[in-house]
Amino acid sequence: MTATPHAATPSALPPVETPESQEDMRLLVAGQWQLMWWRFRKHKVAMVATAVSLLIYFVAVFAEFLAPLPRDHYAADYTFAPPQRIKLILEDEFGNREFHPHVLGYTVEIEAVALRRVFKPDPEQVIELGFFVDGLEEYRVLGIFPSRKHLFGPKDPTQPFYLFGADKLGQDLYSRLIFGTRISMTIGLVGVALSLIFGILLGGVSGLFGGTVDNIIQRTIEFFRAVPSIPLWMGLSAALPEDWDAIKRYFAITVILSILGWTGLARVVRGRFLSLREEDFVMSARLDGVAELGIILRYMLPSFLSHIIASVTLSIPGMILAETSLSFLGLGLRPPVVSWGVLLKDAQRVQVLATAPWLLIAAVPVIVSVLALNYVGDGLRDAADPYSR
Amino acid sequence: MSNSNHNAGADILLDIRGLKTYFHLDEGTVRAVDGVDFTVPRGTTIGIVGESGCGKSVTAFSILQLVEKPGRIEEGSIVLNTGGQNRVDIAALDHDSEELRQIRGKDIGMIFQEPMTSLSMMYTVGFQMTEAIRLHMDVEKDEARDRAIEMLQAVGIPRPEQRFDAYPFELSGGMRQRVMIAMALSCDPMLLIADEPTTALDVTTQAQILELMQQLQEEFGMAIMLITHDLGVVAEMCSEVVVMYLGEVVEQADVDTIFHNPQHPYTQALLESIPRLGHSHEGRLNPILGSVPDPYHRPSGCPFHPRCTQIITGRCETVHPEISRLDPRHTVRCLLHEDPHG
Amino acid sequence: MADTATPSAPAAGKEPLLRVEDLRKYFPIRQGFFGRSVTQVRAVDGVTFDVFPGETMAVVGESGCGKTTAGRCLVRAFEPTGGSILYRNRDGDEVALDTLDNKSLKPVRRELRMIFQDPFSSLNPRMTVMDIIGDPLRVHSIASGSELEDRVADMLLRVGLRPEYMRRYPHAFSGGQRQRIGIAKALILSPQLVVADEAVSALDVSVQAQILNLLQDLQAEFDLTYVFIAHDLSVVEYIANRVSVMYVGKMVETAATDELYHNPKHPYTEALLSAVPRPDPRERSQRIVLEGDVPDPAHPPSGCYFHPRCRYAQDMCATETPELRPIGEGHEVACHLAEDLDLRGITDLVPRD
């Protein structure tokens, strides 16, 4: 090529290789996150799953607005009332059909033999539904703005509206599922955040310092992984004082969940540090005189941050499932806290299920959210290393 | 190249015509092998040289139909003449067929740059060799064992009876390469395809392996197709040379012509760019301009024109040169040597 | 070497820039539950050589001979186990590189730089070319902001890349271009000594020559001294003034390039030279094919490490370890029989016209 001494003039150099398309030009100057996003975008399932996940978190944030009824509203008259069907067309006495969303109220009969209350839809009792209706109580959007509006619900808030049926206290399952989203989806986040901190810290220490520290941490991880998780959780949550309130308990449970969660992450982080330490570009930075902290923060962390994000996303579903199982077993959250696990606990007894099979519907959001987050994590993992080609 | 059976047909072991192997990727189609013709005469060593991305390895993989998705042989024929009138077009065989399996390993053996491509860590050398032998030859276990030990001996492995029970990870790089050669030759193939067989080895080990390959060729009489980027290895080993650039054969001739009377500007430039032992006083190296273009942005016209110093401005950028035959054994794909008769 | 700017032999009277004496680097092999150290690999086991200002000193050998480890000890990427490395800095003071702590090492790191083998793994894929090349300037607080940008642009030009490429990421470049970026990064601090570890061996044949020429041009332009670590003897002959040959952690022969290639004194050097394939069918050489493999540095043979493969070996070779000793003008060899052997150099191996 060129470069005879002092030939440092642009004219002596090969022409700038300008790619034919704008697209290619962007690729040349694209950074890590940009490349990652372009790759993630190609993963159709992951994109759909991302939309679903975002929707679920949207529900968690705006639960008060989306749920027709307040969280703890109950009505003893409607114990185990079955789901109502939304009808869109209302026919008046003259046979005129008109668009008028409504549900039908209930008539209650006591069954003679079983002495069971049986709910039947009552065609006489039309409960009109509407969008942006006023609710029973005032709440605060995001904890700040007071409002009475609900996305939809009965125009008269005192009338019964049970889209997914009622539980044994006559509480609206639909509203409670929406409120449960908040706890179930965030307990995963808090748990993951905690295990992320433990994992990066301990894994980083282990990988960076090596030697005895590494040995101790690795053996500890092995110990934790050898303990069966459900019995360990059971033991720990059984040890929680009975008189703790819901909030305290909630945090205690997240800590318990993350106690096992960090080990996997710590191993990943340690492995990454160990292999990165040997990378030429890290050695090159060291030879440049970059200080150790700078090497960790500017050279090592960025090169596996994307992987961490992917594995964190993949571990949220595990946390959601763990909360659900613990609460289902009665060891996790307890009423009055509302979570999907707590709601499912009602469906534990066969007798109850025979009367109110709709209680099982609480399993649906668990399945949907776990699947969605898994797909998002898969997509992120595939896109995480844009340089592997 | 139509009616060019210049080498009396019987001597030709393998005849490749118009071979095209493309890779269909998200980013576009990579024409890894784009119309390659050459022949491998029986019992000789033919060298395929070129830089990374020239398609030399894909050509070799195509011959055994080992190209994996998203790659695909698009066109062309690969006719193997196993003797007499016995001709098979490998490109036309189903990639799962029994016939193809018989050709792989029996008629054509292959060795790779990385021996672990064809050796498994999980089984002993002996087990893998006897399996391969019994797959292709109708022999009993004991006979296969004897044959395997005989082959290990032939490739210069000391104490072959003991090495027979060794696992590949217990052997050094050079020894693994020998085992792989022993395995490739155990069914007495007519053609041995060697894909960069010595690139991962040190010079002294490379010398051992090259020596071994020459000696085995004398003994077994197979043809060798040697794929390499190392012009030194080609000069030492081959009698004929095929020079490839970006999926095309740019020049083909006997080894002396390639090294002493090259006609394609790429071949000439390549030879001028390498440092030679004992010639370093002859001044600066003469590098080729630029670098091999990336496969998604193949230059128009002659693919070498952006790096060519003898470019005919106005023609090379647009006209894709045809193959011209300079003499019966020497072909070149360059507008400088355009066949006046079309 | 045609150009006379650099001496072909250690210039008389010149003080060496780098003096390496009995350099050793052992790696422990750890085993068991708590990783106890059971034995050690003597990757570098007594390496001695000098490097004179302005020259290119090559260290050659096969994989596992310890040349890369030795190179990394020189730039203190590894802590040497023993021996001394004396470096004469810009102010003319001799500093003991092997004992400096990290803080006093920092100013030396400006003068002592390294070029890596693999142009793909040696550049941080997450940084732009400007950050990659400019980082050393920032770390040593030499330049920042637009001054840094100007210096990077200037350096890019000097290595044959356009300054317009500054905002691009490494993935936008070919192997040869990346190696130019690596060279720019090494030279941005205006070093005295550059250790190039297999700087061209990962490149395509046609690109190798570009980089070799570039390295030579830059040497003349910036008055650089190179320690060139390589396995390719043709490349070494082209670029080096003096050559040291290593075998299993030890230096077996050192001499001026011409002397070593034409008049080798160690049987291993002879075999190595004969094994290089010549790119000319009319020079098909008489290869000396060595028996067996390079020994495992964890369990080297007794006496001279080369004796099990040496065709001239005698009884004493199996028992006594030969020391590196002078045998002629600037020629050192570690072989008991050096005086008695008539070994073949590159010209004897082939008929030359």
Side-chain angles (χ1 to χ4, degrees):
Chain A
M1 198 170 263
T2 61
T4 43
H6 316 296
T9 51
S11 58
L13 296 171
V16 180
E17 288 160 33
T18 20
E20 285 117 59
S21 66
Q22 206 62 32
E23 174 88 7
D24 294 338
M25 189 61 217
R26 284 196 322 170
L27 193 65
L28 296 176
V29 293
Q32 172 193 5
W33 301 107
Q34 192 113 46
L35 289 175
M36 211 176 136
W37 164 239
W38 287 342
R39 243 166 84 156
F40 184 76
R41 223 171 32 183
K42 281 192 189 156
H43 201 308
K44 290 284 175 316
V45 183
M47 286 299 283
V48 173
T50 310
V52 172
S53 308
L54 287 177
L55 190 75
I56 294 174
Y57 278 108
F58 177 83
V59 170
V61 172
F62 297 102
E64 288 91 350
F65 171 67
L66 295 170
L69 287 171
R71 195 186 67 174
D72 298 322
H73 177 80
Y74 65 94
D77 290 350
Y78 295 103
T79 299
F80 294 133
Q84 292 162 317
R85 276 181 55 198
I86 295 182
K87 297 184 174 172
L88 296 178
I89 308 296
L90 186 67
E91 208 178 294
D92 64 15
E93 54 262 48
F94 309 110
N96 291 334
R97 295 157 67 92
E98 219 178 303
F99 178 75
H100 229 80
H102 67 281
V103 291
L104 298 179
Y106 298 102
T107 55
V108 183
E109 290 166 19
I110 311 273
E111 211 174 66
V113 187
L115 293 177
R116 217 167 47 158
R117 284 147 52 88
V118 175
F119 292 87
K120 290 256 169 63
D122 177 5
E124 299 297 306
Q125 218 180 314
V126 171
I127 301 168
E128 276 191 69
L129 301 179
F131 283 102
F132 302 107
V133 292
D134 282 337
L136 283 172
E137 292 169 17
E138 194 180 85
Y139 65 88
R140 283 166 187 275
V141 180
L142 301 171
I144 306 168
F145 314 106
S147 164
R148 293 185 83 92
K149 294 283 178 208
H150 293 269
L151 179 64
F152 67 92
K155 284 183 175 163
D156 174 2
T158 56
Q159 287 192 294
F161 175 52
Y162 294 105
L163 197 53
F164 288 172
D167 65 8
K168 63 173 184 283
L169 293 176
Q171 292 174 314
D172 173 28
L173 198 57
Y174 175 72
S175 299
R176 286 174 68 78
L177 275 182
I178 287 177
F179 282 105
T181 309
R182 182 172 286 170
I183 301 289
S184 290
M185 294 300 282
T186 53
I187 201 165
L189 289 186
V190 179
V192 163
L194 280 175
S195 25
L196 187 69
I197 294 167
F198 283 136
I200 291 188
L201 223 61
L202 290 166
V205 166
S206 194
L208 282 170
F209 294 100
T212 319
V213 184
D214 181 33
N215 241 320
I216 293 171
I217 294 175
Q218 289 314 305
R219 300 298 90 80
T220 313
I221 289 178
E222 274 153 28
F223 173 76
F224 269 119
R225 303 204 79 140
V227 179
S229 50
I230 297 251
L232 177 70
W233 282 329
M234 284 172 72
L236 286 171
S237 52
L240 293 183
E242 279 294 314
D243 54 347
W244 277 14
D245 63 19
I247 299 295
K248 257 190 188 165
R249 222 180 157 74
Y250 171 86
F251 276 104
I253 296 285
T254 57
V255 172
I256 291 170
L257 292 183
S258 59
I259 276 180
L260 283 177
W262 70 271
T263 55
L265 204 61
R267 287 221 152 154
V268 173
V269 172
R270 170 179 180 265
R272 284 269 150 188
F273 270 122
L274 281 182
S275 67
L276 277 171
R277 258 201 331 201
E278 306 298 317
E279 281 284 338
D280 279 354
F281 73 81
V282 171
M283 178 178 287
S284 165
R286 200 161 279 143
L287 296 185
D288 290 346
V290 181
E292 204 57 33
L293 191 67
I295 289 179
I296 297 170
L297 293 181
R298 289 183 48 228
Y299 286 80
M300 294 168 106
L301 264 183
S303 48
F304 65 92
L305 205 58
S306 48
H307 288 267
I308 297 283
I309 292 172
S311 62
V312 160
T313 316
L314 282 173
S315 63
I316 298 176
M319 291 286 178
I320 294 175
L321 284 174
E323 182 276 324
T324 310
S325 2
L326 274 186
S327 303
F328 181 76
L329 292 173
L331 295 161
L333 303 173
R334 289 176 196 174
V337 176
V338 185
S339 78
W340 293 337
V342 170
L343 293 176
L344 270 176
K345 190 174 183 304
D346 287 345
Q348 220 172 32
R349 295 208 336 268
V350 181
Q351 295 95 310
V352 175
L353 268 189
T355 332
W358 49 87
L359 289 177
L360 270 181
I361 210 165
V364 173
V366 177
I367 294 169
V368 171
S369 61
V370 167
L371 277 180
L373 286 167
N374 262 325
Y375 282 125
V376 175
D378 272 350
L380 282 176
R381 193 181 49 199
D382 291 350
D385 200 349
Y387 306 104
S388 65
R389 247 216 285 178
Chain B
M1 292 195 21
S2 49
N3 53 352
S4 50
N5 272 346
H6 52 280
N7 273 336
D11 283 308
I12 302 295
L13 175 64
L14 191 72
D15 189 349
I16 299 175
R17 292 289 163 91
L19 179 68
K20 291 186 179 180
T21 304
Y22 293 174
F23 287 79
H24 303 280
L25 302 167
D26 292 347
E27 292 85 351
T29 299
V30 174
R31 304 193 308 203
V33 175
D34 201 16
V36 159
D37 326 71
F38 64 90
T39 54
V40 182
R42 227 171 269 282
T44 58
T45 302
I46 181 165
I48 317 279
V49 275
E51 297 176 275
S52 61
C54 74
K56 53 191 193 297
S57 289
V58 178
T59 305
F61 278 77
S62 302
I63 292 174
L64 287 177
Q65 278 215 25
L66 290 173
V67 184
E68 304 225 338
K69 278 204 163 157
R72 217 172 77 96
I73 299 178
E74 302 284 327
E75 261 181 63
S77 64
I78 305 167
V79 176
L80 178 73
N81 184 350
T82 49
Q85 289 307 304
N86 217 342
R87 288 159 195 273
V88 200
D89 181 2
I90 301 176
L93 293 179
D94 187 62
H95 73 279
D96 231 5
S97 63
E98 181 57 32
E99 218 177 346
L100 186 64
R101 266 204 293 277
Q102 280 303 318
I103 290 173
R104 287 181 193 159
K106 182 155 193 331
D107 295 322
I108 304 178
M110 183 154 180
I111 57 180
F112 304 88
Q113 173 176 346
E114 178 41 65
M116 296 326 287
T117 325
S118 49
L119 289 176
S120 162
M121 282 287 179
M122 310 299 289
Y123 300 101
T124 62
V125 166
F127 178 82
Q128 297 183 52
M129 286 189 73
T130 45
E131 281 287 285
I133 293 170
R134 295 190 64 208
L135 200 65
H136 295 297
M137 294 170 122
D138 184 23
V139 290
E140 289 304 308
K141 237 184 179 152
D142 287 354
E143 270 177 85
R145 184 191 157 88
D146 292 345
R147 171 85 184 152
I149 290 176
E150 189 187 315
M151 285 314 298
L152 289 175
Q153 180 111 49
V155 296
I157 288 184
R159 290 173 283 119
E161 290 88 354
Q162 288 168 35
R163 294 297 164 84
F164 185 85
D165 293 316
Y167 287 89
F169 61 81
E170 298 174 286
L171 305 174
S172 70
M175 283 296 160
R176 281 182 205 164
Q177 205 70 6
R178 283 169 192 264
V179 168
M180 191 165 65
I181 294 175
M183 225 162 115
L185 295 183
S186 58
C187 295
D188 208 357
M190 282 178 276
L191 174 65
L192 177 68
I193 300 178
D195 186 7
E196 303 267 10
T198 58
T199 305
L201 304 175
D202 284 314
V203 257
T204 58
T205 319
Q206 166 170 289
Q208 293 172 349
I209 299 296
L210 295 182
E211 191 88 359
L212 173 71
M213 284 172 61
Q214 280 176 333
Q215 183 196 322
L216 291 170
Q217 186 173 37
E218 269 168 41
E219 198 174 323
F220 295 94
M222 76 279 184
I224 298 177
M225 192 169 137
L226 183 66
I227 293 158
T228 179
H229 69 277
D230 187 331
L231 291 164
V233 171
V234 171
E236 297 264 350
M237 296 286 291
C238 304
S239 49
E240 268 198 62
V241 183
V242 172
V243 183
M244 287 184 71
Y245 187 76
L246 282 185
E248 292 180 355
V249 174
V250 294
E251 186 162 11
Q252 177 175 15
D254 63 275
V255 68
D256 199 68
T257 309
I258 286 287
F259 282 89
H260 290 280
N261 188 24
Q263 292 303 315
H264 196 284
Y266 175 64
T267 319
Q268 294 168 353
L270 205 56
L271 283 166
E272 272 180 43
S273 71
I274 49 171
R276 291 154 178 252
L277 219 51
H279 296 254
S280 69
H281 295 277
E282 289 160 21
R284 282 168 68 84
L285 295 175
N286 214 345
I288 306 182
L289 293 173
S291 51
V292 180
D294 98 75
Y296 304 111
H297 300 110
R298 209 187 153 82
S300 59
C302 168
F304 186 59
H305 85 259
R307 306 176 74 190
C308 188
T309 49
Q310 301 170 47
I311 178 170
I312 309 169
T313 315
R315 288 208 69 208
C316 291
E317 299 94 324
T318 51
V319 184
H320 184 246
E322 289 299 314
I323 284 181
S324 331
R325 190 170 293 283
L326 302 180
D327 68 59
R329 303 278 306 277
H330 190 178
T331 57
V332 61
R333 194 189 274 276
C334 178
L335 291 178
L336 291 170
H337 302 280
E338 224 173 345
D339 212 339
H341 315 296
Chain C
M1 291 255 316
D3 58 287
T4 46
T6 45
S8 62
K14 258 191 176 173
E15 289 287 326
L17 185 66
L18 191 72
R19 288 198 293 158
V20 181
E21 219 154 302
D22 195 29
L23 180 69
R24 277 167 289 135
K25 174 67 187 173
Y26 301 164
F27 291 102
I29 298 178
R30 293 182 189 282
Q31 262 171 14
F33 193 66
F34 287 107
R36 269 177 312 114
S37 164
V38 282
T39 176
Q40 44 195 3
V41 177
R42 300 173 167 220
V44 177
D45 192 16
V47 159
T48 301
F49 65 94
D50 293 342
V51 182
F52 291 91
E55 75 167 345
T56 300
M57 170 80 191
V59 179
V60 296
E62 298 181 275
S63 58
C65 75
K67 55 184 192 297
T68 294
T69 310
R72 296 195 163 184
C73 286
L74 294 187
V75 294
R76 272 289 295 276
F78 289 162
E79 301 284 320
T81 311
S84 71
I85 308 169
L86 295 176
Y87 168 72
R88 187 171 298 282
N89 67 15
R90 275 254 155 74
D91 306 330
D93 303 326
E94 205 158 62
V95 287
L97 276 184
D98 49 306
T99 53
L100 288 185
D101 60 27
N102 266 333
K103 196 159 161 271
S104 25
L105 204 56
K106 201 171 169 185
V108 182
R109 292 218 184 280
R110 287 176 57 173
E111 303 180 5
L112 188 60
R113 306 284 293 158
M114 180 153 176
I115 299 171
F116 289 83
Q117 165 174 11
D118 186 348
F120 287 84
S121 69
S122 58
L123 306 180
N124 188 347
R126 276 127 181 121
M127 286 184 169
T128 60
V129 168
M130 188 179 82
D131 288 335
I132 289 172
I133 299 177
D135 208 32
L137 291 175
R138 206 172 294 142
V139 169
H140 290 274
S141 324
I142 294 169
S144 62
S146 66
E147 195 200 339
L148 182 136
E149 211 162 296
D150 290 347
R151 289 184 71 155
V152 172
D154 184 55
M155 192 39 86
L156 278 174
L157 280 174
R158 280 169 201 273
V159 298
L161 289 174
R162 289 193 164 256
E164 288 89 329
Y165 292 165
M166 203 150 60
R167 311 258 165 237
R168 296 187 181 179
Y169 284 84
H171 64 85
F173 296 91
S174 69
Q177 289 173 321
R178 284 171 182 231
Q179 199 58 303
R180 287 171 192 269
I181 296 171
I183 292 171
K185 181 182 169 71
L187 298 189
I188 191 96
L189 291 173
S190 324
Q192 283 204 90
L193 180 69
V194 176
V195 176
D197 184 10
E198 300 273 13
V200 297
S201 55
L203 303 175
D204 267 329
V205 197
S206 70
V207 179
Q208 261 191 15
Q210 296 172 4
I211 301 297
L212 286 173
N213 282 350
L214 176 69
L215 285 172
Q216 282 200 331
D217 294 340
L218 293 168
Q219 180 170 39
E221 190 179 351
F222 296 107
D223 220 358
L224 297 171
T225 307
Y226 289 138
V227 173
F228 194 87
I229 296 165
H231 71 276
D232 186 328
L233 288 146
S234 318
V235 167
V236 164
E237 192 198 16
Y238 173 72
I239 199 155
N241 306 107
R242 289 195 305 133
V243 182
S244 271
V245 182
M246 281 184 76
Y247 187 71
V248 201
K250 286 188 183 298
M251 207 133 258
V252 296
E253 189 169 5
T254 302
T257 309
D258 271 355
E259 168 77 3
L260 188 107
Y261 278 62
H262 292 279
N263 189 17
K265 288 293 180 198
H266 197 285
Y268 177 62
T269 312
E270 182 194 36
L272 211 52
L273 289 170
S274 84
V276 180
R278 310 294 175 90
D280 186 343
R282 294 178 191 172
E283 288 185 6
R284 284 190 184 176
S285 57
Q286 301 286 305
R287 283 191 287 262
I288 298 169
V289 176
L290 293 176
E291 297 288 317
D293 294 313
V294 178
D296 174 1
H299 309 282
S302 62
C304 171
Y305 289 176
F306 187 58
H307 86 265
R309 307 175 74 192
C310 180
R311 50 188 196 150
Y312 310 106
Q314 296 186 356
D315 294 346
M316 69 183 303
C317 299
T319 52
E320 283 171 49
T321 308
E323 293 299 319
L324 197 64
R325 61 199 167 90
I327 192 172
E329 177 69 38
H331 197 155
E332 288 177 285
V333 67
C335 175
H336 297 302
L337 312 168
E339 284 85 359
D340 310 327
L341 297 176
D342 180 26
L343 302 180
R344 291 181 294 171
I346 43 168
T347 32
D348 310 320
L349 288 160
V350 289
R352 277 211 72 185
D353 36 52

